[in-house]
Amino acid sequence: MKQQHLFLVRNFCSSLAVALLATELIKIEPAPAIASETPSVDSAIAMKSEPSKTQSIKATKQGYLQAKSSFRHSQASVLLSKQEIGSRESGVGGRELRRLRELRELREKNNHQPSSRSVAPAFTVNHQLPITNYQLPTTVSQQPTTKPKPAQPPANAQVNDRKAQIPSYLNPNPNPLRFPTKPEEVQVVGAQPITFQQALDLAQRNSTQLQEARLNVQRSQAQLRQALAAEYPRLDLGAGVTNSGNNLFSEEPEQNEFEQFFGGGQTDNNDTSVSGNLSLTYDLFTSGARPANIRAAEEQLRFNQLDLERTQEELRLNVANDYYELQRADEQVRIQRSSVNNAQASLRDAQALEQAGVGTRFAVLQAQVQLAQATQRLTDALSQQRIARRQIATRINLNDSIVVTAADPVAVAGQWNFSLENSIVLAFRNRAELEQQLAQRNISEQQRRAALAELGPRISLAARYGLEDTFDDETNFADSYSLQGNLNLSLFDGGAARARARQEEADIAIAETNFAGQRNLIRFEVEQAFSQLQSNLENIQTTSVALEQSREALRLARLRFQAGVGTQTEVIDAEDDLTQAEGDRVNAILNYNRALAQIQRSISSGQQR
């Protein structure tokens, strides 16, 4: 009798689970919470009406027919989704897309979870892209993963940039030679959320690489001024005082009677004189060395200015990648925390079924293992988040005692309206690296001319005026002047000048080779970024659909497991699929943003042209 009663209870639970499954498949929008719509196992057992085998079989058959009808309805929905994806690929299907958006808005309204944006921005791309004129999915809202202590500005903190609202306490110590020696000097005291634009402004203001590039420009300006000084004459002024005499340490020789009679006695052997001269020199002809050095200095200045532009664009790209990596780390923490919550819910369900007598210890152990793995992934995600925060703080050279967090939600950064061919041409036209190779070629050419000028004649003019006066000689000062023209010609230098010229010729060939290699590399970067834009653009919509399906699959799998007709393995697989789908969607959006930043860098443009 006891076995027959247990058999009837299991049959009733099976029929009830099938009926619930059919009801859930017919519904369009999900319920806001699983626990509120799903009866517990105890209540499901208590709801049986008559312990009759015939009625249980009839209920099971009726539930199966309903489930079959609902399954056909779901198959039709899947076919409709495939048709919608095909229509998006062909550029049509606005009516189906509007229906998808209406369903998503209805679900958000029923779940009482307002979207981060009421209307998604229209996203139009070039005609060569496979997906055109479709509505982007709702952006992923940035959930607060951790609650770090907010950075408190000092009492005298001022806002330096009103446009970006960047606090001054984010700036690093003005002393570049500061060397911390105490633990409290490197202790992190707070976190400051910043937007993407604020991160770019901080990098432009505080980056050490950018400061070094600016200093190189200043040094090149000084070198150019030094080369221009050769066009002017040189004026020198000199003066000197001379004291001369005899018998500093030796005795004076004795004078004979004749020298004493005619010499008039002892004479002073010390004389003091002063002299001065003013000279003017000018190189009249240098065989082309002077203009070659000036043009080489101008090209070097141009090279460093281009290097400053290249450093700015590289810095913008690196900051963008670091910021997107920070967003990815934050989203991974959020996803892994959600995974931990799902694993905890599965463990509670498994324990409840075990206590009710319809579950197994093996299912509980599976749920415990799943929770341990989810906790481990969350720990790794938190570690990656800390690394990402320190990475961007190092990149933009912030105060050591403050870390930054991402204030912007994960969303599509923008659009690209140029074709592949136009992008390649823009890159060839605007990239500083190509102009740098041309500037380097011009520098080597001018240095070659300056080396060969050492073999040519040099003509210079010189003028000199001098004054000289000796004290206590009873005479006035004496002056002198001179005018001269000089001609210098190197007859033999051992081949040094020609060897130096051949070195510069080799540098010219190297610059030309580097130009060709850089051109090919730039084309590859543009094509790579453009291809990544296309693929990630499709992945954004695909992963959005997969995310909704994974959430629904997890909800149904948990319903089946709570009703006793599903297994713990199905729930675990559904949780893993949901975690993977959430991560794939975040990665698709961030990879698109990275590709957009890369293609903007490829044409050397921070703003779209």
Side-chain angles (χ1 to χ4, degrees):
M1 185 65 182
K2 183 177 181 181
Q3 294 180 355
Q4 183 179 4
H5 181 69
L6 182 61
F7 176 75
L8 293 176
V9 170
R10 289 182 178 177
N11 287 338
F12 178 76
C13 291
S14 300
S15 61
L16 179 62
V18 172
L20 287 175
L21 178 61
T23 304
E24 293 300 327
L25 287 175
I26 294 175
K27 292 182 179 180
I28 297 178
E29 65 276 4
I34 296 177
S36 62
E37 68 180 12
T38 306
S40 63
V41 178
D42 297 335
S43 62
I45 296 176
M47 287 175 60
K48 65 177 183 170
S49 57
E50 290 186 16
S52 175
K53 184 176 179 180
T54 305
Q55 293 179 356
S56 177
I57 294 176
K58 290 182 179 180
T60 303
K61 184 177 180 181
Q62 184 180 2
Y64 172 76
L65 294 176
Q66 294 178 356
K68 185 176 181 181
S69 175
S70 301
F71 179 73
R72 291 179 178 178
H73 178 72
S74 63
Q75 282 185 333
S77 300
V78 172
L79 292 177
L80 178 60
S81 299
K82 291 182 178 180
Q83 293 176 359
E84 290 167 352
I85 295 175
S87 63
R88 285 195 298 270
E89 294 179 353
S90 61
V92 296
R95 181 176 58 185
E96 290 79 5
L97 289 176
R98 286 193 298 270
R99 181 181 178 184
L100 285 177
R101 289 195 299 271
E102 291 174 358
L103 290 176
R104 184 166 57 248
E105 292 175 357
L106 181 60
R107 290 174 181 176
E108 293 174 355
K109 182 178 179 181
N110 292 333
N111 291 334
H112 301 285
Q113 295 177 355
S115 175
S116 59
R117 292 186 182 180
S118 58
V119 179
F123 195 94
T124 58
V125 295
N126 188 270
H127 65 279
Q128 293 187 0
L129 297 181
I131 303 177
T132 59
N133 296 329
Y134 73 91
Q135 198 80 6
L136 280 177
T138 308
T139 59
V140 178
S141 58
Q142 181 80 8
Q143 299 294 335
T145 56
T146 59
K147 294 182 179 180
K149 180 181 178 181
Q152 298 296 333
N156 57 351
Q158 299 293 332
V159 178
N160 295 333
D161 190 355
R162 295 184 177 179
K163 180 180 179 180
Q165 294 296 316
I166 300 177
S168 61
Y169 57 83
L170 290 179
N171 295 331
N173 194 295
N175 181 17
L177 302 179
R178 187 179 68 90
F179 188 79
T181 57
K182 298 180 181 179
E184 55 269 15
E185 294 178 355
V186 296
Q187 182 180 5
V188 177
V189 298
Q192 174 69 39
I194 60 173
T195 63
F196 177 70
Q197 186 59 43
Q198 288 176 339
L200 292 178
D201 295 340
L202 284 170
Q204 290 288 332
R205 189 171 63 188
N206 299 332
S207 174
T208 55
Q209 296 179 352
L210 204 56
Q211 292 175 4
E212 181 181 356
R214 289 169 180 155
L215 292 176
N216 287 333
V217 172
Q218 295 177 6
R219 183 180 62 181
S220 299
Q221 292 174 347
Q223 291 177 348
L224 176 59
R225 186 65 187 86
Q226 179 184 0
L228 290 174
E231 292 186 339
Y232 300 94
R234 181 172 180 176
L235 183 63
D236 297 325
L237 175 64
V241 178
T242 304
N243 180 270
S244 61
N246 299 324
N247 304 321
L248 182 60
F249 297 103
S250 61
E251 295 182 357
E252 296 182 1
E254 297 183 357
Q255 295 181 349
N256 53 30
E257 296 180 355
F258 182 78
E259 292 176 345
Q260 293 178 357
F261 179 79
F262 291 99
Q266 195 75 18
T267 60
D268 188 5
N269 295 326
N270 293 328
D271 295 328
T272 301
S273 62
V274 60
S275 63
N277 61 80
L278 181 65
S279 61
L280 180 67
T281 58
Y282 179 70
D283 293 331
L284 187 62
F285 180 72
T286 59
S287 297
R290 179 171 54 199
N293 291 331
I294 293 175
R295 284 194 288 270
E298 291 174 348
E299 292 296 331
Q300 184 65 43
L301 175 59
R302 175 60 178 165
F303 181 89
N304 288 333
Q305 289 175 343
L306 293 171
D307 190 68
L308 175 60
E309 178 183 346
R310 181 195 63 81
T311 304
Q312 289 176 339
E313 296 298 331
E314 287 290 339
L315 180 63
R316 187 184 189 280
L317 176 62
N318 293 332
V319 171
N321 289 331
D322 291 342
Y323 195 86
Y324 295 146
E325 180 63 23
L326 179 60
Q327 288 183 324
R328 189 196 68 82
D330 292 341
E331 286 298 313
Q332 286 297 324
V333 170
R334 180 188 63 81
I335 293 172
Q336 296 305 328
R337 283 185 174 173
S338 177
S339 178
V340 169
N341 295 333
N342 292 333
Q344 291 174 348
S346 299
L347 179 60
R348 289 192 298 267
D349 293 340
Q351 291 174 347
L353 290 176
E354 183 186 16
Q355 293 175 0
V358 294
T360 62
R361 180 61 180 169
F362 177 72
V364 176
L365 293 176
Q366 277 187 320
Q368 291 175 348
V369 172
Q370 179 72 9
L371 178 59
Q373 292 176 350
T375 304
Q376 181 181 0
R377 291 193 296 267
L378 176 59
T379 302
D380 295 338
L382 290 173
S383 175
Q384 294 298 323
Q385 185 186 51
R386 291 191 293 268
I387 294 174
R389 289 177 176 179
R390 178 49 54 188
Q391 173 66 28
I392 191 172
T394 303
R395 179 80 64 184
I396 60 183
N397 191 22
L398 291 181
N399 194 336
D400 295 339
S401 60
I402 296 176
V403 296
V404 295
T405 60
D408 290 339
V410 176
V412 175
Q415 58 183 1
W416 190 252
N417 296 323
F418 300 109
S419 64
L420 177 60
E421 292 76 13
N422 291 336
S423 301
I424 294 175
V425 172
L426 282 175
F428 290 160
R429 185 186 305 167
N430 299 334
R431 284 294 289 266
E433 288 85 345
L434 295 178
E435 296 186 34
Q436 276 187 300
Q437 297 303 325
L438 295 178
Q440 184 61 51
R441 182 184 183 278
N442 294 336
I443 291 173
S444 300
E445 175 64 26
Q446 299 303 325
Q447 290 178 348
R448 184 188 69 85
R449 294 180 180 180
L452 293 177
E454 297 293 334
L455 301 177
R458 291 176 174 268
I459 300 176
S460 61
L461 300 177
R464 182 179 181 277
Y465 178 78
L467 293 174
E468 185 176 359
D469 185 23
T470 303
F471 298 151
D472 300 334
D473 59 352
E474 298 180 356
T475 60
N476 294 327
F477 65 89
D479 61 345
S480 62
Y481 71 93
S482 64
L483 298 174
Q484 61 181 356
N486 299 322
L487 174 63
N488 296 326
L489 179 63
S490 177
L491 298 179
F492 180 73
D493 63 349
R498 296 189 180 277
R500 180 184 171 190
R502 286 192 293 270
Q503 292 177 12
E504 300 301 333
E505 290 175 356
D507 290 339
I508 292 174
I510 291 174
E512 293 175 351
T513 304
N514 291 338
F515 182 89
Q518 191 67 44
R519 183 189 62 235
N520 296 334
L521 180 61
I522 290 174
R523 181 187 178 98
F524 171 74
E525 290 178 356
V526 174
E527 292 178 344
Q528 182 184 29
F530 196 86
S531 178
Q532 291 175 350
L533 275 176
Q534 289 181 326
S535 61
N536 289 300
L537 193 61
E538 298 180 20
N539 291 337
I540 290 175
Q541 185 68 23
T542 304
T543 54
S544 299
V545 176
L547 179 59
E548 296 295 332
Q549 295 174 348
S550 300
R551 289 173 178 170
E552 185 69 13
L554 175 60
R555 191 173 65 87
L556 297 179
R558 183 165 286 125
L559 283 175
R560 286 169 50 83
F561 179 69
Q562 290 174 349
V565 296
T567 62
Q568 181 69 20
T569 304
E570 294 178 356
V571 178
I572 292 175
D573 293 340
E575 290 176 352
D576 293 339
D577 293 341
L578 177 59
T579 302
Q580 183 68 29
E582 289 182 343
D584 290 344
R585 184 174 184 272
V586 171
N587 290 332
I589 295 176
L590 294 180
N591 289 338
Y592 176 85
N593 293 343
R594 290 191 182 97
L596 181 63
Q598 179 61 50
I599 200 170
Q600 288 176 349
R601 166 67 187 99
S602 298
I603 68 167
S604 187
S605 173
Q607 302 294 332
Q608 299 180 13
R609 298 184 181 182

